[in-house]
């Protein structure tokens, strides 16, 4: 059969929306199981988005090499995607159902390498299992809710080693963290709880911007802040407990430099 022409269409790039709720292992790449909404604030005019749960495919009509038609058949070398320059892509992603928290993102795309962007479940979207979990409200020392703060918890059971967990606070500073994978205590266990450490990333400036103008934050750009009065943190598997600073009903943070 004679091939009259070959159409060669190459994707510009793609974004994987990764559900990072609870499990902070870097190799974990569980995709969001629902269709998210995107609103772009910086993008090429010829960009087209193709959405499906967990992924967004980026298509462009330029440069011409990405979308072309060649006469006759084309060998494997001719089918290779051309090298094209990257371009900035900025915007916001939201879950219409509110199960995942909204966020800003800033990417350099266009080289077809793919980009994994983490999103975090809202308190509404977190489900506690048999291992229990933590909840609370993070605030800065002046009382400002720590909107969009990232909480990174590491629990160290004696037999399994360190287990990393992560959660994000919502716009009110409220968070929920399920401790899935945490082993249960046995009858002859030498400990009644497991030691843990906590690191929090937040921004007082970003929190105030949300309160004043509903400006979303890029959680990847947050810096680590100090947590007040949390010297000996321990968790009990199977229990859902409040995470708070000593002598307070809230998790109190210093604003940082």
């Amino acid at each position: 059969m004679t091939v009259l022409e070959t159409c060669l269409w190459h994707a510009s790039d793609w974004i994987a929306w990764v559900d990072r709720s609870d499990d902070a292992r870097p190799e974990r790449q569980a995709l969001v199981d629902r269709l998210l909404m995107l609103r772009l604030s910086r993008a090429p005019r010829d960009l087209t988005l193709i959405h499906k749960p967990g992924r967004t495919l980026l298509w462009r009509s330029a440069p011409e090499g990405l979308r072309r038609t060649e006469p006759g058949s084309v060998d494997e070398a001719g089918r290779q995607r051309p090298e094209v320059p990257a371009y900035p892509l900025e915007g916001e992603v939201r879950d219409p159902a509110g199960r995942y928290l909204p966020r800003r993102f800033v990417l350099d795309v266009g080289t077809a390498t793919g980009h994994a962007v983490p999103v975090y479940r809202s308190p509404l979207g977190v489900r506690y299992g048999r291992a229990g979990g933590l909840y609370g409200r993070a605030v800065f020392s002046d009382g400002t809710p720590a909107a969009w703060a990232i909480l990174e918890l590491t629990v160290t059971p004696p037999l399994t080693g360190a287990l990393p967990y992560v959660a994000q606070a919502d716009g009110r500073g409220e968070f929920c963290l399920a401790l899935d994978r945490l082993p249960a205590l046995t009858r002859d266990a030498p400990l009644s709880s497991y030691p843990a450490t906590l690191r929090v990333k937040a921004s007082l400036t970003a929190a105030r911007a949300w309160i004043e103008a509903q400006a979303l934050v890029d959680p990847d750009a947050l810096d680590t802040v100090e947590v007040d009065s949390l010297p000996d943190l321990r968790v009990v598997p199977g229990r859902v407990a409040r995470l708070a600073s000593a002598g307070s009903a809230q998790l109190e943070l210093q604003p940082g430099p």
Side-chain angles (χ1 to χ4, degrees):
M1 184 178 67
T2 301
V3 178
L4 299 179
E5 62 181 21
T6 302
C7 295
L8 299 171
W9 284 23
H10 299 281
S12 175
D13 219 325
W14 66 91
I15 302 172
W17 305 106
V18 178
D19 182 350
R20 290 300 303 277
S21 305
D22 308 331
D23 193 339
R25 289 175 294 178
E27 71 275 11
R28 182 177 180 269
Q29 293 289 312
L31 300 182
V32 172
D33 61 356
R34 61 185 62 242
L35 196 64
L36 303 177
M37 290 178 52
L38 268 68
R39 184 175 68 179
L40 300 180
S41 56
R42 186 179 184 185
R45 289 188 176 184
D46 66 318
L47 183 67
T48 299
L49 304 180
I50 299 177
H51 292 302
K52 64 179 182 178
R55 290 190 183 274
T56 297
L57 190 62
L58 311 178
W59 285 93
R60 292 190 66 187
S61 57
E64 292 183 0
L66 291 179
R67 186 177 298 187
R68 69 186 195 275
T69 301
E70 299 290 350
S73 62
V74 178
D75 60 18
E76 188 64 27
R79 293 175 181 272
Q80 296 301 308
R81 185 183 188 277
E83 293 187 7
V84 297
Y87 55 90
L89 185 71
E90 299 180 17
E92 300 175 356
V93 61
R94 296 175 181 270
D95 175 13
R99 299 285 179 177
Y100 290 89
L101 295 172
R103 61 161 291 168
R104 279 192 53 77
F105 61 90
V106 178
L107 301 171
D108 284 324
V109 299
T111 57
T113 55
H115 302 267
V117 177
V119 291
Y120 303 86
R121 293 179 197 170
S122 68
L124 178 66
V126 173
R127 294 290 180 268
Y128 296 117
R130 299 178 67 178
L134 301 171
Y135 70 95
R137 184 170 185 261
V139 299
F140 289 102
S141 55
D142 66 353
T144 302
W148 317 121
I150 299 292
L151 294 88
E152 298 175 345
L153 182 77
T154 301
V155 186
T156 309
L159 299 180
T160 64
L163 298 175
Y165 298 90
V166 65
Q168 185 178 23
D170 63 13
R172 298 179 295 274
E174 297 177 355
F175 60 87
C176 293
L177 174 60
L179 295 176
D180 297 339
R181 301 177 291 117
L182 192 64
L185 291 167
T186 60
R187 288 187 176 182
D188 57 349
L191 302 173
S192 59
S193 61
Y194 299 144
T197 59
L198 177 69
R199 183 172 73 155
V200 179
K201 297 179 179 179
S203 167
L204 179 58
T205 300
R208 288 174 174 170
W210 167 251
I211 294 171
E212 295 170 2
Q214 302 293 283
L216 289 176
V217 67
D218 178 358
D220 299 333
L222 295 174
D223 294 323
T224 302
V225 298
E226 184 178 348
V227 181
D228 284 344
S229 302
L230 202 66
D232 185 22
L233 178 58
R234 306 186 70 88
V235 298
V236 179
R239 178 183 298 176
V240 177
R242 180 185 295 274
L243 178 58
S245 297
S248 174
Q250 304 178 114
L251 188 68
E252 299 183 359
L253 311 176
Q254 291 297 323

